[in-house]
Amino acid sequence: MNTLTDIIRPDIQAMQAYPVAALPQGCLKLDAMESPYDFPPAMQQELGARLVQAPIRLYPNIATDDFIPQLKTTFAIPDAAHVVLGNGSDELIQLLTMLVAQPNATIMGIEPTFVMYRHNAALYGMPYVSVDANADLSLNLERTLQAIAEHQPALLFLAYPNNPTGTRYPREAVEQIIAAAPGLVVIDEAYGAFSADSFLPQAGSQDKLLVLRTFSKIGFAGLRLGYLSGSLNVIEHLRKIVPPYNMNQLTLTAAKYALQHNDWVQENVTRLKMEREILFAALEDIEAIKVFPSEANFLTVRVPDAAACFEAFLQHKMLIKKLHGMHPLLAQCVRITIGRPEDNVRIAGVLRQLYA
């Protein structure tokens, strides 16, 4: 009998699983850009009643369900755009990679960025071309356009705003990238709700442009629901490889409820954007650290010692994300999710205690 070493792909044996940090007891979770706001009790009770009635004995049928029409209406997705749902954005990123995976096809990303772009390229045996941002984490447009011309990527991922930096690249530059790209361009707007701009209104306007969004950052990370908008010419091919029942009845029921209460969701988004600016201003006053401008629901901060900063936050019962070691441009950086006002006061207090 062959050993597992003989059977399992050597490249997968050499990989490491995506790290999900354990939350120490009593710790405030500020490492994964989740919303700090739950439904109020009355809304929780109403949602619970709907979940009890969800037809979980039946497979969901997205083709006949009214969820996608509700989604398009709520978020003003253009009539020309067609939508496919995923088990979080992660599944859609994987399916998009599968869609173009063939000999000589290349995937491109602007680094540092979401690690799953590179990870899925490796899973499907595709070359991944990375183009580094500038030292201040801004877009190097000239270098990016040169790489597109040289490598002719079949699929280009561009996070807008970017994770883990919070940077939103200039719209005009992104439009130049889309125009220059020979293949599909995925504008990943996982944090789009917190940004001043979006390409969602252009979804469906041209075959190469795809806009990816998620429910995760606006309060519903546990639902695992992402959605991709694009032209029928592309979406109809993607539907061929989407698992037939990749959504579940409980997720669809809860997501419909969230859409019906979008005003509450948007109030929280607005609150978090305000808190982001308050925290940014407080951290800018600390000369020993560098806080990068963000249009997401987090701040990326360069500190004298990221490991020591991470441990100090743990001592204060807060879990943040240590970015140091992920990419040279993130040297000594940490990422901190925007929390409630009282959480953000604590965040600023720890950093002042350490570095002011």
Side-chain angles (χ1 to χ4, degrees):
M1 177 179 175
N2 291 332
T3 66
L4 289 179
T5 302
D6 297 323
I7 295 170
I8 296 174
R9 281 168 42 182
D11 58 330
I12 292 181
Q13 293 183 51
M15 289 180 183
Q16 293 184 344
Y18 186 91
V20 178
L23 181 65
Q25 187 173 4
C27 221
L28 178 64
K29 197 170 188 299
L30 299 170
D31 69 323
M33 290 80 74
E34 296 134 323
S35 172
Y37 297 111
D38 291 312
F39 280 142
M43 291 172 64
Q44 289 179 350
Q45 291 176 6
E46 184 180 351
L47 173 59
R50 296 195 186 190
L51 291 173
V52 168
Q53 297 173 6
I56 59 175
R57 67 182 180 85
L58 301 175
Y59 290 116
N61 187 344
I62 297 301
T64 59
D65 194 274
D66 61 356
F67 175 72
I68 288 181
Q70 290 180 33
L71 179 76
K72 292 186 70 172
T73 298
T74 302
F75 295 123
I77 300 173
D79 291 339
H82 290 253
V83 175
V84 64
L85 305 180
N87 223 305
S89 294
D90 289 336
E91 183 181 38
L92 292 167
I93 292 168
Q94 182 178 21
L95 292 171
L96 285 163
T97 308
M98 184 192 301
L99 190 70
V100 302
Q102 55 185 324
N104 303 316
T106 297
I107 292 180
M108 182 179 291
I110 299 169
E111 298 286 341
T113 192
F114 188 38
V115 298
M116 296 307 290
Y117 307 152
R118 181 189 294 271
H119 179 75
N120 280 287
L123 286 180
Y124 288 96
M126 299 180 66
Y128 179 83
V129 174
S130 60
V131 182
D132 281 353
N134 294 316
D136 64 355
L137 304 182
S138 63
L139 175 70
N140 189 315
L141 179 60
E142 181 180 0
R143 188 185 301 151
T144 302
L145 293 176
Q146 288 174 350
I148 290 172
E150 178 181 354
H151 298 283
Q152 296 289 292
L155 181 61
L156 189 155
F157 286 104
L158 194 151
Y160 188 82
N162 189 40
N163 171 30
T165 65
T167 310
R168 179 176 66 81
Y169 303 132
R171 182 183 182 89
E172 297 77 11
V174 175
E175 289 173 339
Q176 289 186 57
I177 290 171
I178 296 169
L184 301 177
V185 180
V186 179
I187 306 299
D188 185 348
E189 296 189 358
Y191 302 89
F194 304 94
S195 176
D197 190 46
S198 171
F199 278 86
L200 194 58
Q202 283 71 52
S205 63
Q206 52 181 314
D207 286 344
K208 70 166 68 174
L209 175 62
L210 298 165
V211 182
L212 181 61
R213 285 209 166 199
T214 179
F215 275 55
S216 294
K217 311 307 175 185
I218 60 173
F220 311 103
L223 293 185
R224 308 308 302 129
L225 177 57
Y227 55 100
L228 183 79
S229 303
S231 75
L232 177 61
N233 291 335
V234 175
I235 297 299
E236 68 178 353
H237 289 300
L238 192 63
R239 285 174 179 150
K240 298 172 185 176
I241 58 174
V242 174
Y245 305 114
N246 68 327
M247 292 291 99
N248 69 77
Q249 297 283 19
L250 296 178
T251 288
L252 290 173
T253 298
K256 289 176 188 178
Y257 185 77
L259 291 179
Q260 292 169 4
H261 293 277
N262 189 49
D263 289 347
W264 179 87
V265 174
Q266 295 310 313
E267 286 175 9
N268 290 330
V269 168
T270 299
R271 186 178 296 117
L272 289 170
K273 289 165 66 175
M274 293 174 57
E275 283 299 314
R276 178 188 66 201
E277 299 312 310
I278 292 170
L279 182 58
F280 179 88
L283 300 189
E284 263 202 319
D285 289 338
I286 305 174
E287 293 184 3
I289 68 176
K290 166 66 176 177
V291 55
F292 293 94
S294 172
E295 288 201 16
N297 65 336
F298 62 85
L299 292 176
T300 295
V301 186
R302 177 165 287 125
V303 297
D305 186 329
C309 181
F310 176 84
E311 291 299 329
F313 269 89
L314 276 184
Q315 292 299 316
H316 286 82
K317 299 295 184 182
M318 288 181 278
L319 178 65
I320 64 173
K321 179 73 172 181
K322 180 168 69 70
L323 301 177
H324 180 77
M326 292 178 58
H327 188 279
L329 290 174
L330 298 174
Q332 303 305 341
C333 284
V334 297
R335 187 187 64 199
I336 306 172
T337 305
I338 303 300
R340 299 164 299 177
E342 59 269 30
D343 303 329
N344 302 325
V345 169
R346 289 177 61 193
I347 292 166
V350 171
L351 289 169
R352 286 196 193 98
Q353 181 180 328
L354 289 171
Y355 303 118

